Amino acid sequence: MNHPKSGKKYNKQMEFTKKGKGKLFINSFRLRENQPDRSGNIFIFTNDKPIEYSISGWSKDPRQKTSFINLSFYKKENSGYTIKGNGKLYVNSYKNNPKYPDYSGECTIDGFEYRISGWNIKRLITKSYIDLKIDSQ
């Protein structure tokens, strides 16, 4: 069956993809300007099993609040990693409740559109990170 928006072939069970979760850490191994400021993983849950994607994020400075983070999603395949989607996380400037996300935005992964939200998690002993939640639109 072909996907209604992208026209790509897809499994009918993928149509019921609802949500996912993941983490985005500051990339402490960044050596060059073209390397991502942040990296992590996200799992998208389908009817049969979770699908794991690696995430890379670019902002002006990962230690400062910027207006958005550009995201790229990758999936490991036989020949290495293949880009599967992209998106943006915008700083939530209207946050007036601690339960509201610090970031929100949209992304497209494997031809499907999602809403993505992120909460800053600060840890003293372990690395601080952005806790991600993803929902189908």
Side-chain angles (χ1 to χ4, degrees):
M1 174 177 238
N2 290 341
H3 186 271
K5 290 188 179 179
S6 68
K8 295 180 183 176
K9 289 193 176 215
Y10 77 104
N11 185 336
K12 181 73 172 161
Q13 290 179 335
M14 288 291 287
E15 188 174 339
F16 300 106
T17 300
K18 296 288 184 205
K19 56 180 96 178
K21 63 181 181 176
K23 294 180 180 175
L24 193 58
F25 296 93
I26 291 176
N27 184 1
S28 55
F29 299 106
R30 183 173 189 239
L31 300 174
R32 296 186 304 267
E33 283 293 314
N34 63 346
Q35 291 178 314
D37 300 310
R38 297 179 182 272
S39 61
N41 292 313
I42 196 160
F43 292 88
I44 297 179
F45 300 101
T46 63
N47 289 344
D48 48 346
K49 63 179 182 176
I51 301 171
E52 181 180 9
Y53 295 91
S54 296
I55 310 170
S56 296
W58 287 266
S59 57
K60 290 180 185 169
D61 185 341
R63 292 167 290 283
Q64 296 179 1
K65 288 192 174 186
T66 57
S67 56
F68 64 87
I69 300 170
N70 279 316
L71 301 172
S72 291
F73 298 88
Y74 302 87
K75 189 172 179 186
K76 189 170 186 171
E77 296 179 347
N78 294 339
S79 60
Y81 287 90
T82 304
I83 191 161
K84 294 294 183 176
N86 56 38
K88 286 189 179 181
L89 268 176
Y90 295 92
V91 173
N92 185 358
S93 56
Y94 300 105
K95 181 177 177 168
N96 56 9
N97 183 324
K99 292 185 178 183
Y100 291 174
D102 296 300
Y103 298 91
S104 61
E106 295 178 351
C107 62
T108 303
I109 305 171
D110 278 334
F112 294 91
E113 294 180 4
Y114 297 94
R115 288 186 307 273
I116 187 166
S117 304
W119 289 262
N120 285 321
I121 306 295
K122 298 188 190 292
R123 300 281 189 238
L124 294 175
I125 297 172
T126 60
K127 289 182 177 181
S128 298
Y129 59 92
I130 298 173
D131 192 29
L132 299 173
K133 179 184 170 196
I134 191 167
D135 290 305
S136 56
Q137 289 191 353

